[in-house]
Amino acid sequence: EKSDITSTEELEDLAELMGVPEEDIKNSLTLRTVRARNEDFKVPLKASQAKDSCDAFAKEIYAKAFLWLVRTINTATCAENN
């Protein structure tokens, strides 16, 4: 039971924002790589696993964006820099 991304417009927007090819994002969210004896195998994720992968990816993006925002605000409001 292979998963697939159905929101192609959102995938295109994400790829453009990140500057990453759509296929790379799609593969990273729907496949996992297994290495055995120095060979890489691509294994399709089930729909529930792909959803978990997508959720983890979104959480990481949010965390990075929030950290950037906090650092930017702190830098702008720091008395030593003003």
Side-chain angles (χ1 to χ4, degrees):
E1 181 181 317
K2 180 180 153 184
S3 61
D4 194 22
I5 295 176
T6 57
S7 306
T8 55
E9 185 176 326
E10 291 165 350
L11 177 64
E12 291 169 5
D13 292 343
L14 178 61
E16 183 180 336
L17 283 170
M18 294 182 65
V20 176
E22 289 177 43
E23 196 63 27
D24 289 352
I25 295 173
K26 184 176 180 178
N27 288 341
S28 69
L29 296 175
T30 60
L31 300 172
R32 69 181 169 104
T33 304
V34 177
R35 174 165 260 190
R37 296 186 181 178
N38 295 326
E39 280 190 74
D40 290 338
F41 299 95
K42 301 286 185 187
V43 179
L45 296 175
K46 294 180 182 177
S48 62
Q49 294 170 319
K51 170 105 172 62
D52 291 343
S53 176
C54 183
D55 290 346
F57 184 62
K59 183 179 178 181
E60 187 65 23
I61 288 175
Y62 178 83
K64 298 285 185 191
F66 185 77
L67 181 61
W68 172 84
L69 180 62
V70 168
R71 286 182 177 164
T72 301
I73 291 171
N74 285 345
T75 300
T77 59
C78 181
E80 293 174 8
N81 294 340
N82 293 328

